Amino acid sequence: MRLRQLWRTTTFRLTVLYGLIFAVGAVALLGMVYLQSAVYLTHRVDGILNTEADALARTPAPALSSGIEEALALNGDQTNVFALFSAKGAWIAGNLRALPPNLRVNGRPLEVPATADFPAAARLIARSLPSGDELVVGRDVSQLREMRAIIASALIWSGVLIILVGLACGTALSIGPLRRLRVLQAAGQDIAGGNLKRRMPTSNRNDELDMFATTVNYMMGEVERLMSEVKGSTDTIAHDLRTPLTRARAQLHRIQQADTIEPVEIARVTAEIDEVLERFRALLRISELEARERHAGFSRADLTGIIEQVVDLYQPLAEAGGVTLSAGRRRWITVEADPKLLFEAVSNLVDNAIKFTSAGGAVEVRLGEDPARPEIIVEDNGPGIPAVERTAVLQRFYRGERNRLASGSGLGLSIVAAIMRLHGFDLVLHDAHPGLKAVIQCSPPDLTC
C-alpha cells in the first residue's frame, strides 16, 4: 500500500523515470565501449596472428619444424601456439597436438577454450602450405576474455546500481511531499466537515504544494466571506424586513377594520411594500453581478466621461439638499471596464455622499494623480464612517448605528463592492478629516488596466 502511494507521487515517478533513462544511457555507453574495445583487441590479435603465420609460411619446408621449435623455445611464457600438421591432420610439430574440429584452413580465426595441450583460451588461425601441410598459429586471449567479462560485469552492475539508486532517491524525495500531502488531506477533510476557518498549511519552500495550498486558502477565504455574507444577509433580511412587513400588515388590518378607506393609509402601505421591493431588487442586482462570468460588456471606458455623467445626473439632488457637487479637472484616462457598471458604482458612492452630507457641505468627484494606477475618488465633508465600520459597511444590509434612521436598503456599498470584484478593482474607504474619501483603484496597467 505504501509503495502504491509512493508511485502515485509525481516526484517518485519522475525520479524513477529519469533514473531509468540515465541507466539506459550508461548501459548504452558502456556497451559501446565494450564493443569498440573487444573489436579493436580482437583485430589486433588477428593482425599479429596473420603476421606470424605469413612469416612461418615463408620458411622452407625442411626447416619449418625446427623453426616452430625455436619459436616455442623463445615463447617461455607459453602465450603463443605454433603447430604443424600433415594434410591428413597428423601432428608433426608444435605445442598443439590435435586440430580443433571447427578450425577451417585458410578461413577466419577461431577462438577455442583451454585444452590439455594449451592450458589457456586461445585464438587460432590455420594456413595451408605449398607442401600440403597445415600450419596453425595461435595466441593466448585469456586477458581479452577477462576484459570482456569485466566490461560486461560493469554493464550489468552499473545498470542495477543506477536503478536501485533511482528507486532509493525517488522514495527519499517522495516521503516529504507525501507527508505534507497527508497533512493537506487532513486539512481538506476538516474543511469538508464544516470548519471553514481551517486553512491549508504552507512551508517556506514555495514549491507546487505551497502554491496549491495558497490558492486553496484564498478560495476558502472567499468561500468563508460569501458564507458569512449569506448568513449575515439572512439574519439581516429577517430583522430589517420584519419591521416594514409588520407595519404594512398592521395598516392593512386597520384599513380592513375601518368603515372607510383613506387614500393616505393606502399610500403608507404602498410605501412600506415599495421599500421591501427595493431591498429585494438590490439583492437580485448583487447576485446578478456576482454570478457574471463573461466580460462581454468590457471596453475602453473614459473615466472623466463617467464622472461628468454622474455629476450631471446628481446635480439637481445635491442642489435640493444644499450640497455642492463638483467634478475635478478634466483628464483623459481610460481603463478596461464595463462603462455601465462603473457608472452604477460611482453613482452609488455619490448618492451615499449626498445623502449623509448636511446642507452647506460639499461632495467632489475626481481622478487620482497617479496615471499608472487610475483612481476615481468620491470625497465629502460629512460625518464619515468610523474606522472600525469601514469593512462592515461593504457587507449586505449593514447600517451603522447613527444611520439606522436614514432611508435606504443598506445595499448600495455592497453593490459597489460586487462591481469592483467583477472588474478586479479595489474599493478603499479613507478618513477625509472630516468626511469620507471613497477610492476606486484600478489594477496596474500590466494586469487589468
Side-chain angles (χ1 to χ4, degrees), residues 29 35 40 145 232 243 279 307 332 382 385 393 418 421 423:
L29 177 62
L35 291 176
Y40 170 75
R145 286 196 168 190
T243 300
R279 297 188 182 188
I307 289 176
W332 191 76
I385 299 176
V393 293
R421 284 194 294 271
H423 285 76

Side-chain angles (χ1 to χ4, degrees), residues 91-103:
W91 177 81
I92 299 176
N95 58 350
L96 187 64
R97 294 289 179 175
L99 280 169
N102 295 329
L103 181 62

Side-chain angles (χ1 to χ4, degrees), residues 104-223:
R104 295 181 180 180
V105 178
N106 297 325
R108 299 179 62 183
L110 176 67
E111 193 169 314
V112 297
T115 62
D117 297 332
F118 192 77
R123 191 168 181 82
L124 306 178
I125 187 173
R127 293 285 183 85
S128 177
L129 301 176
S131 63
D133 295 337
E134 296 176 358
L135 174 65
V136 177
V137 178
R139 191 175 184 85
D140 182 4
V141 292
S142 57
Q143 291 184 349
L144 178 59
R145 286 196 168 190
E146 289 177 1
M147 184 174 293
R148 291 174 183 170
I150 291 173
I151 297 177
S153 177
L155 277 171
I156 296 173
W157 285 108
S158 62
V160 172
L161 183 61
I162 290 173
I163 293 174
L164 292 178
V165 171
L167 290 173
C169 291
T171 302
L173 293 174
S174 301
I175 289 177
L178 194 58
R179 289 175 179 172
R180 294 174 60 195
L181 187 59
R182 291 197 184 99
V183 175
L184 294 177
Q185 287 177 336
Q189 292 173 355
D190 192 15
I191 293 172
N195 185 8
L196 298 182
K197 294 187 177 297
R198 179 72 181 273
R199 294 294 181 266
M200 295 287 182
T202 57
S203 64
N204 296 325
R205 301 179 184 178
N206 294 324
D207 55 7
E208 62 272 12
L209 289 180
D210 284 341
M211 294 171 61
F212 172 76
T214 302
T215 303
V216 172
N217 288 340
Y218 173 76
M219 178 186 69
M220 289 309 304
E222 289 296 302
V223 170

Side-chain angles (χ1 to χ4, degrees), residues 197-263:
K197 294 187 177 297
R198 179 72 181 273
R199 294 294 181 266
M200 295 287 182
T202 57
S203 64
N204 296 325
R205 301 179 184 178
N206 294 324
D207 55 7
E208 62 272 12
L209 289 180
D210 284 341
M211 294 171 61
F212 172 76
T214 302
T215 303
V216 172
N217 288 340
Y218 173 76
M219 178 186 69
M220 289 309 304
E222 289 296 302
V223 170
E224 183 182 7
R225 179 185 64 80
L226 293 175
M227 293 296 293
S228 177
E229 288 187 3
V230 170
K231 183 179 182 301
S233 298
T234 304
D235 296 341
T236 307
I237 289 172
H239 180 270
D240 286 5
L241 298 187
R242 180 177 58 186
T243 300
L245 290 176
T246 301
R247 288 200 301 264
R249 184 187 182 283
Q251 290 167 359
L252 288 174
H253 181 71
R254 285 197 300 270
I255 293 173
Q256 183 182 16
Q257 298 297 324
D259 296 332
T260 60
I261 300 177
E262 296 292 337

